[in-house]
Amino acid sequence: MNEDFYEQTIIEYFTSFLGYEYLPGPDIVRTSKKYDDVFIPEVLPTALRKINPGLSAQAIQEAIIKLNNIETGKLEIRNERFSDYLQSGVEVRYFDGKQDRDDIVYLLDYKDPENNVFHVVNQWTFIEYSEKRPDIIIFVNGMPLAIFELKSPSREETDASDAYLQLRNYMQHIPSLFVPNVFCVMSDMADTRVGTITATEDRFVEWKSVDGDYANTQHANYETMLEGMFRKDRLLDIIRNFVCFNNTNEKTIKILAAYHQYFAVHKAAKRAVEAVAGDGKIGVFWHTQGSGKSLSMVFLAHMLQNVLNNPTIVVITDRNDLDDQLYGQFSRCKGFLRQTPENAKSRQHLKSLLLDREANGIIFTTMQKFIDGEDSLCDRDNVVVMVDEAHRGQYGLTEKMDAQGNISIGAAMLVRKALPNASYIGFTGTPISTEDKNTREIFGDYIDIYDMTQAVEDNATRPVYYESRVVALHLDKNALEQLDHEYAEFAQSADETSVERSKHTMAGLEGVLSAPETIEALCNDIVNHYEQNRSDILTGKALVVAYSRPVAMKIYKEIMRIRPGWKEKIGVVMTMDNQDPEEWFEVCGGKEHKKEMERRFKADDDPLKIAIVVDMWLTGFDVPSLATMYVFKPMKGHNLMQAIARVNRVYKGKEGGFVVDYIGIANALKRAMKDYTNRDQHNYGDMDIAATAYPRFLEKLDVCRDILYGFKYTEKVFTDSKVQLARLISDGTDWLLDPKHADEMEDFLKQSQLMSQALSLCKSLVSKEDQHEAAYLSVLRVQVLRITGRTSTGGNGMTYKEFNERVASILEQSVQAEGVVNIFDKDEVEISLFDEAFLQELAKMKQKNIAVETLKRLIKEQVKSYSRRSVVKANKFSEMLQSAVNGYLNGMLTNAEVIEELLAMAHDMMADREEGSKLGLDDEELAFYDALTKPQAVKDFYDNEQLVAITRELTEAMRTSATIDWQEKQSARAGMRRCIKRLLKKYKYPPEGVDDAMETVMAQCELWADTKVYE
C-alpha cells in the first residue's frame, strides 16, 4: 500500500463514485513543447463555448487570452484575480467585425453542474522555474482548480506534513499552475486536510461531514472529504460562495470555509428565505468563540445576495470597538461581497443609508443609534438584520419601570420599531440562557450549534483552563468575605435593576481592590507567576484584565516599579476621555497609539508581551499565540466566556489557553457553563487546573516512573553536577533503546508526552522536585526521538522537525544543563557517517544501544539517499542493514557485534565515495557505472577505461534524450529502451552469458528519470 496505490485509490473514487473522467497526464496532447500549459488544451475553449452559447468565438478567445495573461506579481494577487473570474466571469471587450462589444464570459455553469467538464488527472508535468509533477490535479472545464499531494499510507518516514512542504515547494517552482487553484489537499490516508495557497500548515483543516451532521466527525476520513467537497454540485458551490480573500496593507490571505461554516451558512440561508416570506425570525447562529463566526457572517451576507431579492443587510453590534472589528472584517472581504460596506455615523446617517436605496447594501451600526429615537427608519421587507453577540441583556422586548418610576424600552423593541418589516438573525459565541425567552422571541430557535467540544475536536479552538490565586493577594478575612459576598451577588444578577444594584455595591470594592497593598501583592504575584511559568510559553503574550481604568494604571505603575526594564514589554490599552489625568495619556495615547499597540501585540516577534486592559480587546480580538490571561475584574455569563476565549485560538504547540484568577470567577464559570451543551459541561465544566491538569500530570509522572522501574534514576537525578546529569540522560536513553525494552520505550514515549502537556498548564502547582524530574523524563523522550528519527509515537508524538526545534528550548527552560543537548561535542566531532573521528567516538561509547541506533539511523539515511540515485547501492546496503538489524533484534548479535557490522558498512560507504573520485566520475555517473558493472563477468570482459567511457556516454545519452513522460507512456518507454540498447550494442554490452545485466541498467535508467522529475 504505497503512494502509487493510494493515488490509484483516489482516482478510482473520483471516476466510480463522483462521475469524473480520468485522464493520465502523459497521454494529454500538449500545445506547448515547453510543458507550461496551465489549462488542458482544447478542453477549455470547448467548455467555454458550451456554457456561453450566445457569445461569439471572439469573446471566448478574448477571455482565454485574459486567463493566460493575468498580470505578474505575487501568487496570491494573481490567484485573487482568477478567483474573481471563477465567481463572476471574465469581462471582455472585442470587435465583432462591426463594432466594439462588451460581454461577460462565464467560466463555470453554476446552475447546471453537469454542463461542466470534470477531469481527474495524475502525473501532469509542468515546467516553469523547474520541472514538477503533482500527484493529482482536478480540472474543471480544463482549469486546474484543486491539487492533491499524497504520501504513502505505509511509510513511517513520510506523512501529511511532508505533503505540505511539497506543496509549498511547488508554489515556489511552478507558481503559474497555482494561479487558478481554489484549494489544495494533502493526505497520507490517515490524515487528510485541505487549505488555500496562503494557509500555514496548521490552517490546513479536515473536512469532516458530508451532509452537515457533526455526530461522527471523529471518524471522518479521506472519503468524507472527497464526498463532502468534490461532489460536482458541492465543489461548484464552494468555489462560488465559500472562498474569499482577506486583504490588509501587510498581506493577502485566501480563506476557504471550514465544513461547519459551510453547512451552517446553508442552513441560515434556507431559514432566511422562509423568514422573509413568514414571521421574520431567521434564528440564532451559535458557533463557539474562536471558530470563525465573523467569517461565517461574511459568507452568509454573500449568499443572501443570491437567495433573496437583493437584500439590504444591517449588521448591529453593541459596542464601537466590536463595530470597528466586524466592519473591518467585512471591508477586507469587499471584493467577495461585490460591494463596499458602510458604517453609519449617527441615527440620521443610518436613516439616509437605508432610504437612499431600494435594494443591496451592507450597513454597520451600533445598538445606541436605535436607542437615540423611536421613529421608523425603513419599512422595506427586504432588509435582513444580523445582530452580533445576541444576548438577552441587550434585546428586551418589553417596557420596564424602575423604583423611581423611570420607564425604559427594550432595545429589541426599538429596533423593531425602526425596522418593522425586517428579518432577524442573531449570532453568538456563547449559548442563549435556557431561561431567556426574549432572544427566542426576537430571532427564533437555533439554526446551528457548533459547541466548544466540537471546536476543540476539530482543532478550530483550544480548551481553556484556569488557576485560582485569590489567596496570593493576602487580603484580610473581612475583605475576602466582602469580595465573596458582593461578587456572588453580581454573578447571579439577572435583571437590569439587580445589575444596577450590584454595580453600586461592587463600587465599594474599589477601595479594597485598589489599595496599595493589594496592588503590590497582585503585581508581585503576576510578575513572579509570569516569569516562572508563562514567559516561555509560545511567544509569551499575556493579557492583564484590570478591575477599572484607575486600577489598570496602578497595575502598570507598580509593575514598572518592580521591573523597570519592561518598558517595551508592557503597555495599557483602554478607552480615554478628556477628564483623565495627563500622565495617563503618556501611557495610553490616542487612537493611533491603540492601533499601533494592536499591531505590535499581534506580531509574534515584537517585544510587547503584556497588555493591561479593562474592556477593550476582550471581545472580537484575535491573537493566536496569546496563551495567558490574568483576571482582576468581576465578569459573568457571556461576558466572562467571551473574555476568556481570547486565549483559545489555535497556534502551533499550544496545549490550551490559561486564565489566572485573582477575583474568584470559579462560580461564575460554573454558572455560565450550565447553558452549554451536555458534552461541553462534561468536558469543560471544570476548567480548574488543580482538578484537571495537575492530577493528570501526577498520574503520568507516576506512570513514567513505573515504566522506568528497571532503570534506577531517581537516586541520581537530583544532583547539582551537570556532568553527572548529562551522563544520566545518556544512560537513560541507552536503557530505553535496548531492544529488550522496546515495549517500555513505546509506552514511555506516549506517556511522557502526555505528562509534558499537562505540565505546561499546571507548572505553578508542581513542586521544584517534580518539575526537575519531569524535565529529565522529557529530555529522555526527546533524545530517543532524535536518535531514532521517529516521526510519530502512536499518533500522539511530534514530527522529527518539530522535536528537533523544541529540544534546545526544553533543556534550556527545564534542566538548564550544559552539554546535554548533544551526546557528542559538535565542536570536536562532525556528526557525519563519513567522518572517521565520529565513527571512532561511536565505537568507544559506553552506551552501546545509543551507538547502535545512531549508526543505524545514519546508515538508513544514506541508504535513502542511494535509493534516489543508485539501484545497485540501494539494494546492496539496504539488504546489509536489514540483515544486521534482524540479527540484533533476534538476539543473534550482541550490540558490540552489530556495531562492528554497522561500522564496516559505514567504511564501505566511505570507500564508495572515494571510488567515484578515483575514476573521475560524479555521483550520477557512478550510479550508472555500478549498474553496468554489477555482474563480475562485466569487469572481467572490459578494462576500466572502456567501462568509464561506456558510463559517460550512457549518462550523457540519458541527460539529452530522455523524454519527460517516458515512464508513463509505453511507446516512449520502448523508445528509450531501444536507444539505450543501440548505444550499448556498439560496445558489445552485455557480454555473452550475462543477459541479466541489461535488466539492472534499465532499472537504473528508470530510477534516474523518475528522480529527475521530482528534483
Side-chain angles (χ1 to χ4, degrees):
M1 296 182 69
N2 56 17
E3 190 175 313
D4 180 64
F5 165 84
Y6 189 30
E7 184 177 300
Q8 296 305 318
T9 301
I10 298 291
I11 292 169
E12 183 181 334
Y13 194 96
F14 270 102
T15 56
S16 300
F17 297 97
L18 298 175
Y20 286 53
E21 182 183 347
Y22 169 56
L23 290 176
D27 291 349
I28 298 172
V29 177
R30 310 289 282 269
T31 57
S32 169
K33 297 300 182 184
K34 296 178 180 177
Y35 283 78
D36 58 356
D37 313 78
V38 173
F39 310 113
I40 299 180
E42 299 307 316
V43 173
L44 178 61
T46 303
L48 295 189
R49 286 194 293 269
K50 183 180 177 185
I51 64 180
N52 297 277
L55 296 185
S56 66
Q58 295 101 310
I60 301 298
Q61 187 58 35
E62 184 65 26
I64 293 174
I65 290 171
K66 290 186 79 169
L67 295 181
N68 278 304
N69 292 278
I70 290 178
E71 70 272 14
T72 57
K74 289 185 176 179
L75 172 58
E76 55 266 31
I77 304 299
R78 298 164 68 196
N79 184 264
E80 183 175 12
R81 173 60 61 88
F82 203 100
S83 183
D84 181 61
Y85 289 159
L86 286 173
Q87 292 173 343
S88 305
V90 183
E91 294 181 1
V92 295
R93 186 176 181 82
Y94 61 96
F95 184 68
D96 67 355
K98 296 179 180 179
Q99 61 182 355
D100 286 333
R101 294 180 60 90
D102 294 305
D103 270 313
I104 296 178
V105 177
Y106 293 100
L107 304 184
L108 298 166
D109 188 338
Y110 290 110
K111 292 180 180 177
D112 181 6
E114 292 298 334
N115 200 32
N116 301 282
V117 183
F118 295 81
H119 287 117
V120 54
V121 177
N122 68 329
Q123 305 302 323
W124 172 269
T125 297
F126 192 83
I127 302 175
E128 194 166 359
Y129 298 118
S130 62
E131 182 181 312
K132 298 294 178 184
R133 183 175 291 182
D135 291 328
I136 291 176
I137 305 178
I138 301 305
F139 285 86
V140 183
N141 294 340
M143 299 174 289
L145 302 188
I147 293 180
F148 282 67
E149 184 60 26
L150 309 175
K151 292 301 172 186
S152 169
S154 61
R155 287 179 63 187
E156 265 187 52
E157 64 270 23
T158 62
D159 56 17
S161 289
D162 294 303
Y164 174 78
L165 294 175
Q166 188 71 57
L167 286 168
R168 298 305 307 176
N169 176 270
Y170 288 157
M171 288 176 215
Q172 296 297 318
H173 289 266
I174 49 171
S176 293
L177 188 65
F178 287 83
V179 170
N181 182 262
V182 178
F183 58 86
C184 301
V185 181
M186 58 188 203
S187 178
D188 61 1
M189 190 177 273
D191 182 15
T192 301
R193 289 178 278 157
V194 296
T196 69
I197 59 166
T198 65
T200 54
E201 185 179 349
D202 59 311
R203 290 297 174 187
F204 268 69
V205 297
E206 294 178 276
W207 189 278
K208 291 181 153 190
S209 180
V210 171
D211 55 7
D213 181 1
Y214 306 156
N216 295 312
T217 55
Q218 280 185 311
H219 308 294
N221 58 21
Y222 75 96
E223 288 188 49
T224 306
M225 182 276 298
L226 292 175
E227 178 69 18
M229 296 189 79
F230 285 97
R231 206 175 64 200
K232 293 178 181 178
D233 59 332
R234 179 71 54 77
L235 178 59
L236 293 174
D237 186 26
I238 289 171
I239 294 169
R240 186 185 193 190
N241 297 309
F242 293 94
V243 176
C244 68
F245 287 79
N246 191 72
N247 292 313
T248 66
N249 292 331
E250 291 83 24
K251 56 185 174 180
T252 295
I253 298 173
K254 186 176 184 180
I255 296 165
L256 169 71
Y259 78 96
H260 65 276
Q261 293 171 313
Y262 175 87
F263 291 112
V265 166
H266 265 289
K267 292 175 190 176
K270 183 181 178 184
R271 286 269 200 101
V273 173
E274 296 168 354
V276 168
D279 61 4
K281 298 178 183 177
I282 301 173
V284 177
F285 190 111
W286 169 25
H287 280 202
T288 196
Q289 294 285 341
S291 60
K293 178 166 56 70
S294 60
L295 280 168
S296 295
M297 295 174 77
V298 170
F299 289 127
L300 179 60
H302 172 83
M303 181 168 276
L304 289 180
Q305 295 171 59
N306 296 325
V307 300
L308 297 177
N309 182 26
N310 300 317
T312 298
I313 296 169
V314 178
V315 184
I316 301 178
T317 60
D318 66 331
R319 292 224 316 271
N320 286 330
D321 59 334
L322 282 180
D323 188 52
D324 291 343
Q325 289 162 6
L326 198 54
Y327 173 70
Q329 179 66 78
F330 271 67
S331 296
R332 291 191 297 273
C333 299
K334 63 185 178 183
F336 173 67
L337 293 167
R338 309 292 169 216
Q339 51 189 314
T340 301
E342 298 178 273
N343 205 340
K345 306 302 180 188
S346 64
R347 182 182 178 88
Q348 193 58 39
H349 186 211
L350 174 61
K351 186 172 184 177
S352 67
L353 289 173
L354 289 165
L355 293 179
D356 288 349
R357 57 166 51 86
E358 287 300 315
N360 296 321
I362 300 174
I363 302 166
F364 280 76
T365 183
T366 57
M367 184 60 67
Q368 183 62 39
K369 295 176 181 65
F370 293 94
I371 296 172
D372 290 343
E374 297 184 31
D375 57 311
S376 173
L377 299 178
C378 176
D379 59 4
R380 285 189 285 118
D381 63 2
N382 65 338
V383 175
V384 174
V385 178
M386 292 183 175
V387 181
D388 189 31
E389 301 304 345
H391 295 287
R392 64 185 183 199
Q394 304 161 7
Y395 304 109
L397 279 169
T398 58
E399 293 185 353
K400 294 182 180 179
M401 183 182 296
D402 64 17
Q404 287 73 41
N406 298 313
I407 295 175
S408 62
I409 301 175
M413 183 180 289
L414 293 173
V415 176
R416 287 280 185 176
K417 285 184 176 181
L419 304 169
N421 298 315
S423 297
Y424 294 82
I425 178 171
F427 287 82
T428 181
T430 54
I432 305 301
S433 167
T434 52
E435 302 164 4
D436 176 19
K437 296 178 182 177
N438 282 336
T439 301
R440 286 181 174 78
E441 285 181 49
I442 302 157
F443 301 110
D445 291 326
Y446 284 122
I447 297 167
D448 191 69
I449 295 174
Y450 187 70
D451 62 14
M452 217 185 285
T453 299
Q454 190 70 46
V456 171
E457 181 186 298
D458 292 347
N459 203 35
T461 64
R462 304 303 299 138
V464 177
Y465 301 88
Y466 94 101
E467 174 186 6
S468 177
R469 295 185 71 82
V470 178
V471 293
L473 300 188
H474 306 298
L475 297 173
D476 61 44
K477 187 177 179 183
N478 291 334
L480 281 171
E481 287 177 356
Q482 182 187 2
L483 179 62
D484 285 345
H485 174 74
E486 303 295 358
Y487 187 63
E489 182 172 341
F490 174 79
Q492 293 175 25
S493 299
D495 56 55
E496 196 171 332
T497 303
S498 59
V499 167
E500 288 303 314
R501 186 175 70 249
S502 68
K503 283 182 180 177
H504 177 73
T505 54
M506 284 294 283
L509 286 175
E510 179 91 23
V512 175
L513 299 179
S514 64
E517 58 272 20
T518 305
I519 297 296
E520 182 182 355
L522 172 72
C523 293
N524 273 310
D525 198 71
I526 287 175
V527 168
N528 290 332
H529 187 280
Y530 177 80
E531 288 182 330
Q532 294 173 20
N533 305 296
R534 306 303 297 175
S535 64
D536 57 1
I537 299 296
L538 305 178
T539 60
K541 302 284 183 178
L543 285 182
V544 177
V545 186
Y547 178 73
S548 65
R549 295 191 313 129
V551 168
M553 292 307 301
K554 288 183 178 182
I555 291 173
Y556 174 77
K557 289 178 181 177
E558 180 61 20
I559 290 180
M560 288 306 300
R561 185 191 68 78
I562 299 169
R563 292 288 184 272
W566 280 18
K567 189 164 183 61
E568 288 293 306
K569 193 169 192 169
I570 192 167
V572 181
V573 180
M574 64 185 192
T575 53
M576 303 289 289
D577 64 47
N578 295 331
Q579 307 303 314
D580 291 333
E582 187 175 337
E583 62 181 20
W584 288 18
F585 283 92
E586 294 174 5
V587 176
C588 300
K591 192 171 184 180
E592 290 305 312
H593 176 74
K594 290 182 177 64
K595 284 185 179 178
E596 176 63 8
M597 289 286 284
E598 181 173 338
R599 183 197 66 76
R600 290 183 60 199
F601 198 73
K602 287 183 174 181
D604 288 348
D605 56 354
D606 194 278
L608 178 63
K609 301 298 182 185
I610 303 170
I612 301 167
V613 300
V614 181
D615 293 307
M616 296 186 74
W617 290 9
L618 293 185
T619 52
F621 181 69
D622 291 348
V623 179
S625 69
L626 175 62
T628 310
M629 175 181 283
Y630 294 96
V631 176
F632 191 58
K633 176 184 180 179
M635 292 178 283
K636 65 159 189 166
H638 65 270
N639 288 328
L640 173 61
M641 301 308 286
Q642 284 173 340
I644 67 172
R646 295 315 99 208
V647 295
N648 80 343
R649 300 313 192 255
V650 173
Y651 190 82
K652 191 168 186 177
K654 190 174 187 178
E655 187 61 27
F658 193 67
V659 175
V660 184
D661 169 25
Y662 290 100
I663 203 77
I665 62 173
N667 289 331
L669 277 171
K670 288 177 182 175
R671 183 175 176 83
M673 285 300 299
K674 287 181 180 177
D675 293 318
Y676 280 71
T677 61
N678 289 333
R679 61 180 188 164
D680 277 356
Q681 292 180 50
H682 176 264
N683 292 328
Y684 305 110
D686 191 347
M687 304 178 195
D688 189 351
I689 57 166
T692 54
Y694 183 56
R696 185 170 178 78
F697 164 75
L698 293 177
E699 175 199 341
K700 296 304 175 186
L701 178 60
D702 273 341
V703 170
C704 289
R705 287 168 177 160
D706 289 344
I707 293 170
L708 294 177
Y709 178 76
F711 175 67
K712 307 295 183 182
Y713 73 90
T714 51
E715 300 166 3
K716 302 174 185 176
V717 76
F718 299 103
T719 175
D720 293 330
S721 168
K722 292 177 180 176
V723 172
Q724 288 184 20
L725 189 57
R727 287 174 182 165
L728 192 64
I729 289 172
S730 294
D731 290 343
T733 306
D734 192 64
W735 188 89
L736 283 165
L737 290 173
D738 192 319
K740 292 183 293 187
H741 303 142
D743 291 342
E744 288 94 332
M745 184 187 79
E746 291 297 329
D747 202 12
F748 176 80
L749 292 175
K750 296 174 187 175
Q751 300 300 327
S752 58
Q753 185 187 26
L754 294 172
M755 176 200 69
S756 296
Q757 289 171 342
L759 178 63
S760 72
L761 295 167
C762 65
K763 194 175 175 185
S764 61
L765 304 182
V766 178
S767 69
K768 287 185 177 180
E769 291 77 11
D770 283 353
Q771 281 192 48
H772 182 83
E773 185 177 353
Y776 170 74
L777 297 173
S778 294
V779 173
L780 290 190
R781 176 177 181 275
V782 172
Q783 290 287 19
V784 168
L785 289 170
R786 291 185 78 205
I787 291 167
T788 59
R790 295 284 294 276
T791 57
S792 65
T793 53
N796 293 314
M798 52 187 166
T799 65
Y800 179 54
K801 179 170 69 77
E802 288 170 337
F803 69 69
N804 230 10
E805 289 170 353
R806 288 179 58 187
V807 64
S809 60
I810 289 174
L811 290 166
E812 184 182 341
Q813 294 160 15
S814 305
V815 178
Q816 295 178 333
E818 296 167 4
V820 174
V821 177
N822 292 307
I823 295 168
F824 306 105
D825 188 335
K826 285 199 294 185
D827 293 333
E828 293 180 11
V829 179
E830 178 193 354
I831 299 180
S832 166
L833 192 63
F834 302 116
D835 186 278
E836 188 60 45
F838 173 71
L839 295 180
Q840 290 304 316
E841 286 288 329
L842 280 174
K844 292 186 294 185
M845 275 193 73
K846 172 189 167 190
Q847 293 86 6
K848 298 300 182 187
N849 296 311
I850 291 178
V852 170
E853 291 298 331
T854 305
L855 271 171
K856 190 168 77 177
R857 178 173 178 193
L858 290 172
I859 290 173
K860 191 182 288 185
E861 287 175 355
Q862 184 60 29
V863 169
K864 186 178 177 183
S865 174
Y866 282 139
S867 69
R868 292 192 292 268
R869 68 173 193 268
S870 174
V871 167
V872 174
K873 291 287 194 308
N875 288 340
K876 172 186 172 183
F877 286 114
S878 62
E879 287 173 9
M880 289 173 66
L881 177 62
Q882 196 59 53
S883 173
V885 169
N886 287 344
Y888 176 54
L889 294 176
N890 295 330
M892 297 164 62
L893 295 174
T894 65
N895 50 23
E897 289 168 337
V898 81
I899 288 171
E900 193 175 326
E901 288 204 13
L902 294 175
L903 285 171
M905 283 181 66
H907 285 113
D908 275 358
M909 289 175 169
M910 290 169 73
D912 168 59
R913 266 182 141 198
E914 293 166 5
E915 182 186 7
S917 300
K918 288 176 183 175
L919 294 170
L921 301 175
D922 61 26
D923 287 347
E924 205 169 64
E925 291 167 334
L926 184 61
F928 283 105
Y929 178 86
D930 288 336
L932 287 163
T933 61
K934 185 183 179 187
Q936 183 59 43
V938 170
K939 287 187 175 182
D940 295 339
F941 189 81
Y942 301 98
D943 63 42
N944 218 39
E945 283 186 16
Q946 288 177 304
L947 290 170
V948 168
I950 298 172
T951 297
R952 287 191 170 135
E953 190 169 345
L954 174 59
T955 309
E956 186 58 29
M958 288 297 297
R959 286 170 177 163
T960 57
S961 305
T963 62
I964 53 181
D965 288 326
W966 78 286
Q967 63 270 54
E968 283 293 329
K969 283 189 177 180
Q970 291 302 318
S971 59
R973 182 193 293 269
M976 179 58 69
R977 284 177 174 271
R978 285 194 299 272
C979 174
I980 295 168
K981 285 180 178 179
R982 275 199 306 270
L983 185 155
L984 296 177
K985 190 174 183 181
K986 70 178 184 179
Y987 288 101
K988 298 181 179 178
Y989 186 97
E992 192 174 339
V994 200
D995 295 338
D996 61 336
M998 187 60 79
E999 223 174 279
T1000 306
V1001 174
M1002 288 299 178
Q1004 177 60 39
C1005 290
E1006 291 189 18
L1007 175 66
W1008 180 89
D1010 284 337
T1011 304
K1012 280 296 170 187
V1013 167
Y1014 294 104
E1015 278 184 352

